[in-house]
Every structure is written in structure tokens, then in C-alpha cells.
């Protein structure tokens, strides 16, 4: 009996009756607390277009920088756009946004102090003290004051740097400010090795031209970059990184090429004892002196020793050049089609001393 | 007869295939097929800066997501020889224990769903909502909290948050004992849970069961005892039971909830003033760290290269627990329905478990098996 | 007349099956939270059964992993008409954080089966899921039924 009365009491309550007939969830549960991190709110006009948000986002495809169309009076403004289908609502973009006031707002994350902001980026900026002329242009160009002067030398503060690349553009000395890719180091090594191997074999095939070279003249030949490009992309799929690594590697590359002309060899075997790595061997069965290219250091001892001119020694430099002038393509694949590797070959400066 | 259950099945929350070898209703043996949620998360982390990896570590598992970030952060702190400031350590304890409470409530509610006790199932979930509110209030999200960073925590708490958390805990505590009483003294629930799915201490040792599952079988193993924050500042004693059946496992989880509430109270009372985050320069090197997640021991092995993660390997408790469940608990269970209930008490979290791929090099790539 | 009666019935009783095709479990936990007395999804006539054969709505969570490429189509074909698919969370929509170098996921799920509605968030709050399901679910179901006739 008591339970029946209890049931009547329970079901007679106003809240229960209301809930039973309305059948609606109470409004309170839809409310979100202050700290709730919703999708980031974008305030377009504060954006400085540095790209810190895109490089810091843990989710690919979540955030993109876009630029409005230019009109007559103004340049179009740049601002980030959030893709709601991929944003994980971590609020990290709001946390690291360097603009003042912040472009992105998310929960309470944009109140986090600037002191700890470290932007993960695929590029790391380093000042080369040897080349830097301490002009201070990079410091002026930096939007976030990441470049500091310590003891009359410039340093990039990694904790402030947003990797926008403005310092690189403003630097008047080529190579004084370096943007290095810190990921995919193994792939970068493989690319450089591939380039060196290819160019070396290409030059050695041009034996006839090399034989004609005397001490003063140069040979200039060209090699299209697009022949290498497919293999490079297969190693490192990120086109932007791959192109920059390739270009830097080729521009800095300086290799020594040796040619081995066996017809002149009189089997004096002087070079066999001189070679420090044992790359040159005398084979009794064939009665020949052999040169193993894979062991060779290109140290030029054999070149200095040989009295008959079997070995020839060249220094080769490279530069990435435009094939046709005035190309304004933006797609990297298009740019690569128009690029050639200019190869400059001259005889080693040693030859001047030797001939004297 | 072999009876397959899953990967989509009314009583499983996650995809996994349970193969039961039965004779009549009796289960003789059980086998488990993994591999439905392998995403390759360790491989994704390689070569990325820790700022991104800490969000990825969170997504190893959705239920115990907090413990993964804490362990990841503490591993990197160990590599670079620093400790988070004391206030940050206490805040980590608070969030960690809140996460543990909600996970235990969820685990028990799945057990009650498996034995068709809808009332307790609903009670558990409504208790859990209070805790979820507290977590959301503190960190800003209900599941993936994004709360930890290397060298501390992201945001400070205010007085008002702590007050609200204590209120929520009181709301939980008010009904907790009554619900435990319903389970402990209910005759029919007892029939479904006592002496079902037993695992002895030796078997638990052999199967390397950890966490509440191991503790219910008599292994007094709780890594919180050895953690520096707990042993230096807080009073803590692991809870364990001897029987090792479904009842013991569920009760062990129930009893750990007031203990966690007590730990949160201690932490809030003794919460020191100071910084919540210190500036850490991460060194290159290799480090290991273990922590007690709601389901047991989590192990992170990380090799760093400055700011970047070179290599990472994660061991989660679920893989051992599911394995010992299949080998020892499901053996000789009286009915198939009990087998499902036993599986639910082992608190499986498959998203945790699957990160490894095993390749059979002799047979080629086609025969690979994901774990 | 008969058709409109059918629509009313379809709108007021929706059976749901949750399919986790390889996510972090967070969205599933939030869907379980929808059962709770606080959100109480059953008061709107939505029942979660986890059985594809009696479902009207497939709730998909998780980026599609290797094993699910064929299975997701099989599960979809077993659901009786009219049926709709709703993606919960970011994983089925875009692959979330897993859809990058090193990951073994085949998102989005719309490559394999037609998707009617999407709920973004990682994970979405239960209130957001509830909101989205109530605003799209019943209408879409009855529309789908009319299409077939």
C-alpha cells in the first residue's frame, strides 16, 4: 500500500507531469561552459598572414590561409579559414597566433601567455655568422620580433619565430639567412646523392669535349632538370620542399671529375702505390692497370703522379638557370620544366702548376 | 561449434570479433580477432614536433585520453630532466582522477548493459555526467581535453572552478553508496556476477593482467604508489580483492571511485600557489615512463631529436587484459550470455590496443595481421 | 493518406545502429552518453540497437581503416530501406588527424557509401549530436521513404 502511495506522490509531482507531457530536454544541458573550445572564431582584420596557424595545426586540411581579390584601392586581405570537417577543436592555433590582438579566438585558449609559444614548422631559420653583414634588415622585417641582437650578432629566437620567411626575403646577402628543412633528412640525403650520381655520369659521357680542354678554356653544357624531377618527387613527395632542396643542393654543388684514358698507359705502376684507398690496382692476367670508381676519393694524387697523361682532372660547378626568359609560372611542376642545370667544366687549377 | 560475435554486435561498443568454441551453452575456449581499428598512429607521430604529437597521443584512445597525454608529457620531461611545477602536478592529479572516475563508471555501465540491468546502467551514466561536466568545466572539452603540455598544464584553475568541481563530487558521492548497495546486495545481480569468469592470481600473473582486472585477482600492483606526485604529497593505498570474478572486478572499480574522490579532495585542499607551466628545453635522447591509466599500466618509450619525436612506441593495458580475458576468464563460462558479460568486465578498449602490424615476410604482404 | 501516416510513424520511431569503423572511441563514448537520463535520446523515439538489420539510421564514427573498406559496404547493404547514413565526428568526414603521412585510413566514408548528414567536432558534444539528429534525422528518413515509392 505504501508503495502505491509513493508512486502516486512521485507521479503527481509537477516536474514529472511536465516532463512527461512535454518530453523535451531541459535547456541547461545545451549550455556550454566558458572554457569550452568551440571551432575557432576568425577576426579577419587582425591577421598578419604569417601562416603560424597552418603550420602548427595537428590536423591536415583543417586550416587554410586565403587571400581576397585585390580591388583598385586596396590589396586583398589575407585571413585563415577553418574547415569544420577536419578541425579537432584543440585551440592550438588560437594559442600561438602572434598577431596583436589575436586573429583566432577559441574558448579561453587565446589568453595563454605568449612566453611559451613555440610554433612547430618544417623550416628552421638560422643566421650564418660568417656571411651576415649585420645590416639589421631581417630584424626590421620580422613581424613578431623573433630576431635578437646578442653581442653584435643576430640570432633567431625559435620560441618566437613563426617561420613566415620574411627575413629570408629581406636579406641582401645570399645565404646569410638560411631556412633549413628539419624533417625528412634521410630523404634529402638520398636526393643529393641521386643528383650527384646522375650529373657525374652525364659529364663522363662527354669525354670527347673534355679531352680537347686546355688550361685556360671552359666548357659549358646544359642538363634539363625535368629529367631528374620524377625520381626526386618519388623520394620526397612534398613538391615545395623537394624543389628547394634540389635547387640549393645543385647551386652549392662542386664536384671533381676524373677521366681515365687507358690508351696512354705505359704500365709504369707509379700510381698504384700512390693511391691512398687502393682504388687503382694492377691486374697481372690482363696486364692492365685498373681504376675502381667507387673506391676513388678524387684526391688527385694519381693525376699529379702520372707522367703520361692517363688521368685528367676537372672541376665542375653547377647552377640552376632558366631555359626561357620571362616565365611567371606558379606551379612548381611548370617551373621545373623550364629549368636547366648549367654545368661549367674547367681543368683543375693544379694543372697550371704541373705544366710549369 | 564455433560462435562468432561481432564486429558489430548489440553488446559490444567497439569492433572486435570474439570467437567462442561452445558445447551446448558452455563455452570451452575463446579466441579474439583484432585489427578493425588500426590507424598507424605511432607512424604518424614520427618526425613531428611534440606540440602536434601530444594531440595525437590523445587520440590513441578516447576513453582514457587524459592519461596518454600525461604519460607522453612526463616521458619528455624525464628525457629533459625537469619536473613540472608542483601546482601543475596537483592539477594533473585532479584531472587524472576525474578521468579515472568517469572511465570506471562507463566500464561498469557496460557490464550492467551486458547483464541487462537497465536501471543500474542508467544510474551509472547519470553519475558519469556529473564528472563529465567537471572535466569540461576544467579543461574545455569532454573527451579530448588538450590539457597537458611539456612542463605543466595549459590553463590555470580559478577558485570558482574548484568550488564547482567539489559540488559535482558531492553530487556523485551522495548516490554512489546506494548504487553500490543495489549491486552488492541484489540477489539476481549476484547470480549473474559471482563466481563467473574467474581468474586466479597465478593466471593473472601469467596473462600479465594489469589495472583493476589484475587487482581484482589479487595482484597488488598500482603504479600510482610509485608516481612522484602521489608518493610525495598525497596519501594513497591500492585497493585489491582476492576472488577475481566478475563481481570482484566490478566492485574493485566501484571502490576505487571514492578513493579517487578522496585524492581529488586532498589535491584541492593542498593545492600550492605558483606557476602552472615551466619553460622546458627538450633534450635529445631516449626515455621510458609508466603511468596508471584507468585500465592499468601505460608505457611510453620515446626517442627524441630536439623538438622532434624520432621514434615512439606505446604499450597500453588493454592488450594484456583482453588477452588474459580470452585465455583465462572466458574458459569454462557456463553460458554464452555470461561470456559476453565477462568480456564486458574486462573493460576492453580496442582503440587503445591496435597500433602494431605483424608482417609474415615469407608469405608476403597480403597475409599481414594488424594488432 | 496511407503514405502520410507512414511518414508520421517513421518520424517518431527511428532505430539506430552505431558502426565504429576505426576511430579513437571518443565519439562512441559520447553516443553512449546520449543514452543517459540527462540527454535521454529515447524520449524522441530514437532507439540505439547496434543491429544493422533493424536499423533506419547508420551512425558512422571513425576513419575507414583497411579492414572496413569492404565491410562498411556489406553493413550498409544489410540495412533495410529506407535508410540514411549520418557521420558523427570528423573522422568519417575528412579522416581527422589520421589522414596524413603514415596513417592507414581511407577517409572519407562518402567514397564508399552515400552520406546524408554530417556532425563535425572531435568529438561533438552530446547536445550537438542531439541537435543535429533531431533537426535532420526524422525529415531525412521520411523523405527517403517517399523517394523509394
Amino acid at each position: 500500500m505504501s508503495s502505491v502511495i509513493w508512486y502516486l506522490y512521485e507521479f503527481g509531482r509537477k516536474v514529472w507531469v511536465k516532463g512527461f507531457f512535454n518530453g523535451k530536454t531541459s535547456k541547461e544541458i545545451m549550455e556550454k561552459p566558458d572554457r569550452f573550445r568551440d571551432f575557432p572564431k576568425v577576426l579577419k582584420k587582425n591577421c598578419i598572414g604569417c601562416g603560424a596557424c597552418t603550420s602548427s595545426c595537428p590536423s591536415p586540411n583543417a586550416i587554410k590561409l586565403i587571400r581576397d581579390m585585390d580591388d583598385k584601392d586596396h590589396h586583398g586581405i589575407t585571413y585563415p579559414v577553418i574547415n569544420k570537417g577536419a578541425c579537432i577543436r584543440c585551440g592550438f592555433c588560437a594559442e600561438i597566433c602572434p598577431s596583436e590582438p589575436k586573429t583566432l579566438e577559441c574558448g579561453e585558449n587565446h589568453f595563454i601567455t605568449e612566453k611559451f609559444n613555440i610554433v612547430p614548422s618544417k623550416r628552421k631559420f638560422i643566421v650564418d655568422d660568417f656571411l651576415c653583414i649585420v645590416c639589421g634588415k631581417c630584424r626590421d622585417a620580422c613581424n613578431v620580433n623573433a630576431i635578437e641582437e646578442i653581442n653584435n650578432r643576430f640570432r633567431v629566437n625559435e620560441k618566437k619565430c613563426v617561420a613566415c620567411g620574411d627575413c629570408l626575403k629581406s636579406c641582401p646577402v645570399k645565404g646569410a639567412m638560411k631556412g633549413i628543412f628539419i624533417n625528412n633528412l634521410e630523404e634529402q640525403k638520398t636526393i643529393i646523392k641521386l643528383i650527384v650520381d646522375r650529373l657525374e655520369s652525364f659529364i663522363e659521357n662527354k669525354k670527347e669535349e673534355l679531352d680537347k680542354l686546355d688550361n685556360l678554356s671552359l666548357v659549358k653544357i646544359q642538363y634539363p632538370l625535368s629529367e631528374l624531377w620524377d625520381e626526386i618527387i618519388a623520394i620526397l613527395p612534398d613538391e615545395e620542399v623537394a624543389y628547394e632542396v634540389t635547387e640549393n643542393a645543385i647551386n652549392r654543388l662542386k664536384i671533381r671529375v676524373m677521366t681515365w684514358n687507358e690508351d696512354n698507359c705505359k704500365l709504369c705502376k707509379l700510381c698504384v702505390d700512390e693511391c691512398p684507398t687502393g682504388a687503382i690496382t694492377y691486374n697481372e692476367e690482363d696486364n692492365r692497370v685498373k681504376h675502381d670508381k667507387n673506391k676513388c676519393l678524387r684526391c688527385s694524387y694519381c693525376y699529379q703522379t702520372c707522367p703520361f697523361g692517363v688521368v685528367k682532372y676537372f672541376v665542375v660547378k653547377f647552377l640552376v638557370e632558366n631555359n626561357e626568359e620571362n616565365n611567371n609560372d606558379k606551379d612548381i611542376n611548370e617551373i621545373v620544366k623550364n629549368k636547366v642545370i648549367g654545368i661549367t667544366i674547367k681543368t683543375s687549377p693544379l694543372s697550371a702548376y704541373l705544366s710549369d | 561449434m564455433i560462435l562468432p560475435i561481432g564486429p558489430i554486435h548489440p553488446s559490444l561498443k567497439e569492433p572486435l570479433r570474439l570467437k567462442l568454441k561452445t558445447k551446448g551453452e558452455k563455452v570451452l575456449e575463446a579466441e579474439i580477432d583484432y585489427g578493425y581499428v588500426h590507424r598507424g598512429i605511432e607512424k604518424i607521430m614520427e618526425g613531428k614536433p611534440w606540440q602536434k604529437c601530444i594531440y595525437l597521443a590523445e587520440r590513441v584512445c578516447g576513453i582514457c585520453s587524459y592519461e596518454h597525454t600525461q604519460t607522453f608529457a612526463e616521458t619528455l620531461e624525464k628525457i629533459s630532466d625537469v619536473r613540472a611545477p608542483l601546482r601543475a602536478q596537483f592539477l594533473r592529479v585532479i584531472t587524472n582522477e576525474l578521468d579515472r572516475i568517469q572511465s570506471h563508471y562507463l566500464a561498469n555501465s557496460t557490464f550492467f548493459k551486458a547483464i541487462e540491468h537497465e536501471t543500474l546502467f542508467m544510474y551509472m551514466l547519470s553519475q558519469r555526467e556529473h564528472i563529465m561536466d567537471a572535466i569540461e568545466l576544467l579543461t574545455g572539452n569532454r573527451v579530448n581535453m588538450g590539457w597537458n603540455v611539456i612542463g605543466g598544464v595549459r590553463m590555470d584553475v580559478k577558485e570558482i572552478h574548484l568550488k564547482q568541481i567539489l559540488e559535482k563530487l558531492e553530487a556523485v558521492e551522495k548516490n554512489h553508496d546506494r548504487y553500490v548497495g543495489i549491486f552488492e546486495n541484489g540477489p539476481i545481480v549476484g547470480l549473474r556476477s559471482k563466481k563467473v569468469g574467474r581468474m586466479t592470481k597465478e593466471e593473472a600473473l601469467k596473462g600479465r593482467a594489469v589495472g583493476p582486472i589484475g587487482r581484482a585477482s589479487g595482484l597488488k600492483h598500482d603504479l600510482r604508489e610509485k608516481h612522484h606526485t602521489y608518493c610525495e604529497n598525497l596519501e594513497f593505498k591500492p585497493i585489491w580483492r582476492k576472488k577475481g570474478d566478475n563481481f570482484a572486478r566490478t566492485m574493485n572499480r566501484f571502490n576505487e571511485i571514492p578513493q579517487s574522490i578522496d585524492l581529488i579532495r586532498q589535491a584541492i585542499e593542498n593545492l600550492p600557489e605558483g606557476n602552472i607551466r615551466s619553460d622546458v628545453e627538450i633534450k635529445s635522447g631516449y626515455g621510458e615512463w609508466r603511468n596508471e591509466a584507468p585500465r592499468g599500466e601505460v608505457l611510453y618509450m620515446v626517442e627524441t631529436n630536439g623538438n622532434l619525436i624520432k621514434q615512439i612506441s606505446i604499450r597500453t593495458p588493454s592488450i594484456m587484459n583482453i588477452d588474459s580475458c580470452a585465455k583465462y576468464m572466458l574458459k569454462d563460462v557456463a553460458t554464452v550470455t555470461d561470456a559476453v558479460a565477462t568480456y564486458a568486465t574486462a573493460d576492453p578498449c580496442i582503440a587503445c590496443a591496435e597500433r602494431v602490424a605483424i608482417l609474415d615476410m615469407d608469405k608476403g604482404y597480403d597475409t599481414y595481421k594488424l594488432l | 493518406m496511407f503514405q502520410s501516416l507512414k511518414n508520421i510513424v517513421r518520424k517518431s520511431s527511428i532505430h539506430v545502429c552505431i558502426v565504429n569503423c576505426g576511430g579513437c572511441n571518443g565519439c562512441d563514448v559520447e553516443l553512449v552518453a546520449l543514452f543517459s537520463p540527462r540527454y535521454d535520446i529515447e524520449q524522441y523515439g530514437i532507439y540505439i540497437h547496434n543491429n544493422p538489420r533493424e536499423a533506419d539510421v547508420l551512425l558512422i564514427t571513425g576513419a575507414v581503416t583497411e579492414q572496413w573498406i569492404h565491410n562498411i559496404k556489406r553493413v550498409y547493404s544489410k540495412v533495410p530501406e529506407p535508410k540514411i547514413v549520418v557521420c558523427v565526428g570528423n573522422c568519417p568526414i575528412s579522416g581527422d588527424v589520421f589522414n596524413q603521412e603514415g596513417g592507414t585510413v581511407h577517409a572519407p566514408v562518402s567514397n564508399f557509401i552515400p552520406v546524408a548528414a554530417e556532425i563535425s567536432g572531435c568529438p561533438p558534444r552530446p547536445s550537438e549530436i542531439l541537435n543535429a539528429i533531431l533537426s535532420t534525422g526524422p525529415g531525412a528518413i521520411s523523405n527517403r521513404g517517399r523517394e523509394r515509392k
Side-chain angles (χ1 to χ4, degrees):
Chain A
M1 190 61 203
S2 65
S3 65
V4 174
I5 294 169
W6 190 84
Y7 273 121
L8 284 174
Y9 167 73
E10 179 71 21
F11 294 147
R13 278 187 313 160
K14 211 178 162 188
V15 181
W16 195 90
V17 173
K18 213 175 154 189
F20 184 78
F21 287 104
N22 280 341
K24 272 177 189 160
T25 320
S26 56
K27 278 241 167 84
E28 307 148 23
I29 67 155
M30 294 295 184
E31 284 170 11
K32 295 164 181 173
D34 295 341
R35 274 190 179 177
F36 182 73
R37 298 191 300 271
D38 213 328
F39 294 109
K41 216 168 76 187
V42 182
L43 307 169
K44 286 184 194 174
K45 54 184 177 186
N46 297 339
C47 185
I48 55 173
C50 62
C53 43
T54 48
S55 67
S56 69
C57 185
S59 171
N61 326 323
I63 194 163
K64 250 185 199 168
L65 273 185
I66 62 164
R67 195 174 157 199
D68 278 344
M69 285 280 282
D70 295 344
D71 44 7
K72 281 173 192 168
D73 312 322
H74 306 284
H75 284 294
I77 46 172
T78 315
Y79 57 92
V81 175
I82 313 270
N83 174 10
K84 285 192 181 176
C87 173
I88 61 168
R89 306 207 273 199
C90 58
F92 193 47
C93 49
E95 204 175 304
I96 52 100
C97 182
S99 70
E100 191 66 45
K102 297 224 174 192
T103 313
L104 291 152
E105 284 181 3
C106 180
E108 285 184 0
N109 274 40
H110 56 279
F111 296 129
I112 292 174
T113 48
E114 232 174 74
K115 195 175 140 197
F116 301 108
N117 291 343
I118 310 158
V119 185
S121 134
K122 53 183 177 182
R123 219 193 263 263
K124 193 176 181 181
F125 287 90
I126 293 172
V127 180
D128 192 332
D129 283 337
F130 191 66
L131 293 173
C132 182
I133 54 170
V134 204
C135 62
K137 277 185 183 163
C138 50
R139 186 186 48 194
D140 300 338
C142 188
N143 275 323
V144 289
N145 301 327
I147 296 174
E148 296 162 352
E149 194 176 347
I150 302 166
N151 296 338
N152 205 21
R153 275 181 183 172
F154 285 107
R155 284 270 175 284
V156 180
N157 188 346
E158 278 176 44
K159 284 174 189 167
K160 284 183 181 172
C161 178
V162 293
C164 59
D166 283 350
C167 44
L168 205 63
K169 286 173 203 158
S170 68
C171 187
V173 184
K174 197 177 180 184
M177 178 64 90
K178 282 176 182 148
I180 300 168
F181 291 104
I182 44 180
N183 294 348
N184 321 68
L185 285 180
E186 282 303 316
E187 283 91 342
Q188 291 183 27
K189 275 183 206 163
T190 340
I191 286 179
I192 293 172
K193 197 164 183 296
L194 175 88
I195 292 170
V196 173
D197 285 351
R198 277 306 183 78
L199 290 175
E200 202 177 29
S201 61
F202 174 74
I203 291 163
E204 272 165 20
N205 289 336
K206 302 263 171 186
K207 222 174 178 179
E208 294 162 13
E209 287 180 42
L210 296 182
D211 283 340
K212 291 175 200 161
L213 264 182
D214 58 19
N215 287 347
L216 298 170
S217 59
L218 301 170
V219 171
K220 279 193 174 179
I221 38 180
Q222 285 185 331
Y223 183 77
L225 184 59
S226 48
E227 282 186 26
L228 280 166
W229 186 242
D230 288 342
E231 285 176 61
I232 291 171
I233 281 294
I235 295 168
L236 188 65
D238 191 338
E239 289 176 357
E240 192 193 332
V241 180
Y243 179 69
E244 206 166 310
V245 169
T246 320
E247 194 179 358
N248 283 344
I250 291 172
N251 286 349
R252 250 181 284 152
L253 197 64
K254 182 180 162 189
I255 56 176
R256 296 173 186 134
V257 176
M258 303 191 39
T259 54
W260 191 268
N261 189 358
E262 234 181 86
D263 300 341
N264 294 351
C265 186
K266 301 281 189 298
L267 297 173
C268 64
K269 293 172 237 165
L270 279 175
C271 51
V272 177
D273 297 335
E274 284 294 330
C275 185
T277 56
I280 302 172
T281 44
Y282 172 65
N283 197 339
E284 280 184 25
E285 288 172 19
D286 302 356
N287 200 19
R288 274 169 65 192
V289 175
K290 270 189 179 173
H291 174 228
D292 185 356
K293 215 192 262 177
N294 293 331
K295 281 185 184 173
C296 180
L297 286 178
R298 278 84 166 162
C299 63
S300 84
Y301 280 5
C302 46
Y303 171 61
Q304 292 173 37
T305 322
C306 185
F308 304 109
V310 174
V311 190
K312 282 204 170 172
Y313 194 65
F314 304 97
V315 179
V316 190
K317 283 183 181 175
F318 304 87
L319 189 69
V320 176
E321 294 163 345
N322 281 342
N323 196 10
E324 302 150 19
E325 281 177 13
N326 303 330
N327 71 64
N328 294 323
D329 286 323
K330 283 191 178 159
D331 183 32
I332 291 180
N333 285 322
E334 288 297 311
I335 294 175
V336 168
K337 273 183 196 166
N338 288 326
K339 294 275 181 190
V340 284
I341 305 172
I343 306 173
T344 318
I345 311 172
K346 63 177 180 184
T347 46
S348 159
L350 273 175
S351 60
Y353 302 108
L354 289 181
S355 61
D356 282 347
Chain B
M1 179 197 163
I2 288 176
L3 180 73
I5 299 179
I8 300 174
H9 188 265
S11 63
L12 308 176
K13 6 177 244 260
E14 289 174 85
L16 169 131
R17 178 165 285 164
L18 211 59
K19 282 182 196 157
L20 301 177
K21 199 175 178 189
T22 56
K23 190 179 183 186
E25 268 283 279
K26 201 172 154 99
V27 178
L28 301 175
E29 269 176 38
E31 201 184 309
I32 282 176
D33 262 12
Y34 303 104
Y36 290 91
V37 286
H38 171 87
R39 292 146 289 160
I41 200 153
E42 285 168 350
K43 188 72 191 162
I44 297 174
M45 280 194 209
E46 278 175 20
K48 289 210 160 43
W50 66 261
Q51 287 94 336
K52 286 185 183 182
C53 284
I54 202 153
Y55 289 114
L56 280 161
E58 211 163 50
R59 281 160 183 77
V60 170
C61 170
I63 307 174
C64 40
S65 64
Y66 178 76
E67 193 61 49
H68 281 276
T69 56
Q70 187 181 337
T71 317
F72 182 83
E74 280 173 352
T75 318
L76 261 67
E77 280 163 20
K78 192 197 170 194
I79 291 172
S80 31
D81 270 339
V82 286
R83 267 191 198 177
L86 205 59
R87 189 178 171 86
Q89 286 183 23
F90 272 70
L91 290 178
R92 278 179 182 175
V93 168
I94 293 171
T95 329
N96 191 358
E97 296 303 324
L98 282 174
D99 199 41
R100 190 181 313 277
I101 296 170
Q102 66 90 0
S103 170
H104 281 353
Y105 271 132
L106 187 78
N108 282 352
S109 77
T110 38
F111 171 63
F112 294 134
K113 180 97 195 324
I115 63 169
E116 299 288 333
H117 198 302
E118 283 269 336
T119 321
L120 270 177
F121 171 65
M122 287 297 176
Y123 281 155
M124 291 300 106
L125 284 181
S126 66
Q127 289 280 74
R128 182 172 171 267
E129 280 306 310
H130 293 295
I131 303 294
M132 294 307 272
D133 273 352
I135 291 174
E136 194 181 18
L137 199 77
L138 191 67
T139 64
N141 204 328
R142 286 163 58 97
V143 175
N144 293 327
M145 299 168 210
W147 173 248
N148 267 316
V149 282
I150 316 292
V153 293
R154 213 158 234 138
M155 281 175 279
D156 205 352
V157 290
K158 293 168 193 155
E159 229 16 68
I160 190 165
H161 291 139
L162 295 177
K163 210 176 131 199
Q164 274 171 314
I165 290 170
L166 286 174
E167 272 170 22
K168 306 265 184 209
L169 290 181
E170 255 165 43
V172 170
E173 235 176 11
K174 200 175 82 189
N175 289 324
H176 180 79
D177 289 341
R178 191 161 70 88
Y179 299 156
V180 177
I182 292 174
F183 174 68
E184 206 170 8
N185 308 321
I188 294 171
V189 192
L191 277 177
R192 286 299 303 274
S193 60
K194 279 177 190 163
K195 293 182 186 173
V196 176
R198 272 173 103 162
M199 181 169 68
T200 59
K201 193 179 173 182
E202 287 74 37
E203 283 170 343
L205 267 175
K206 246 192 242 170
R208 289 152 183 84
V210 286
I213 294 100
R215 284 199 287 277
S217 297
L219 297 177
K220 283 177 273 184
H221 177 71
D222 194 322
L223 279 168
R224 281 179 287 172
E225 258 184 323
K226 290 168 193 164
H227 190 276
H228 51 82
T229 318
Y230 288 89
C231 66
E232 284 165 17
N233 309 302
L234 304 167
E235 274 178 44
F236 173 78
K237 252 187 185 173
I239 290 173
W240 59 286
R241 282 171 174 260
K242 279 179 190 168
K243 290 253 173 88
D245 51 3
N246 284 358
F247 182 78
R249 283 190 283 276
T250 315
M251 277 309 286
N252 205 59
R253 275 190 215 113
F254 266 138
N255 293 347
E256 278 178 24
I257 289 167
Q259 188 195 31
S260 294
I261 293 177
D262 182 47
L263 280 170
I264 297 172
R265 289 233 169 88
Q266 283 181 41
I268 290 180
E269 266 172 34
N270 306 327
L271 190 65
E273 291 295 318
N275 283 335
I276 53 154
R277 194 169 167 181
S278 61
D279 208 351
V280 181
E281 194 174 316
I282 292 161
K283 290 175 188 162
S284 306
Y286 170 80
E288 290 177 6
W289 194 263
R290 286 153 208 268
N291 255 349
E292 182 79 11
R295 284 169 179 69
E297 159 189 325
V298 173
L299 167 66
Y300 267 65
M301 292 171 272
V302 184
E303 198 178 347
T304 58
N305 181 9
N307 225 4
L308 304 174
I309 304 298
K310 205 169 167 189
Q311 215 170 33
I312 184 162
S313 179
I314 309 167
R315 195 184 69 178
T316 50
S318 290
I319 195 101
M320 286 94 82
N321 287 345
I322 297 173
D323 220 43
S324 53
C325 169
K327 266 186 197 155
Y328 305 114
M329 290 181 209
L330 290 178
K331 188 185 65 188
D332 299 333
V333 172
T335 62
V336 174
T337 45
D338 275 348
V340 175
T342 309
Y343 172 74
T345 53
D347 200 1
C349 173
I350 294 113
C352 266
E354 300 186 355
R355 292 172 320 281
V356 190
I358 295 174
L359 281 172
D360 194 342
M361 291 312 284
D362 300 335
K363 290 173 191 168
Y365 189 70
D366 293 340
T367 58
Y368 74 123
K369 188 182 172 189
L370 301 165
L371 278 186
Chain C
M1 169 65 195
F2 179 63
Q3 191 59 45
S4 63
L5 200 67
K6 236 170 145 183
N7 281 347
I8 292 169
V9 174
R10 270 187 187 140
K11 267 185 194 175
S12 57
S13 146
I14 299 170
H15 292 245
V16 168
C17 171
I18 303 172
V19 181
N20 180 342
C21 51
C24 77
N25 219 351
C27 300
D28 303 56
V29 177
E30 294 294 69
L31 285 170
V32 171
L34 280 179
F35 279 119
S36 71
R38 183 126 174 261
Y39 297 100
D40 196 11
I41 197 166
E42 294 197 356
Q43 70 180 314
Y44 301 103
I46 297 170
Y47 308 97
I48 298 184
H49 279 289
N50 268 12
N51 186 352
R53 283 186 201 277
E54 54 176 320
D56 300 312
V57 177
L58 275 184
L59 287 183
I60 299 221
T61 64
V64 186
T65 51
E66 202 109 1
Q67 297 240 17
W68 279 101
I69 295 173
H70 299 295
N71 291 357
I72 192 82
K73 287 178 197 157
R74 272 178 61 201
V75 170
Y76 181 73
S77 66
K78 295 209 167 130
V79 182
E81 291 284 347
K83 57 192 169 188
I84 61 166
V85 178
V86 178
C87 292
V88 180
N90 278 344
C91 291
I93 303 174
S94 69
D96 209 58
V97 288
F98 308 117
N99 194 5
Q100 50 185 307
E101 198 190 337
T104 53
V105 296
H106 303 265
V109 80
S110 54
N111 289 352
F112 305 101
I113 51 176
V115 173
E118 289 168 346
I119 307 166
S120 53
C122 185
R125 283 186 98 214
S127 61
E128 285 170 353
I129 303 177
L130 200 60
N131 231 338
I133 290 182
L134 292 181
S135 60
T136 60
I141 271 280
S142 65
N143 284 344
R144 190 70 207 256
R146 220 174 284 137
E147 241 171 59
R148 288 278 142 187
K149 258 276 140 2

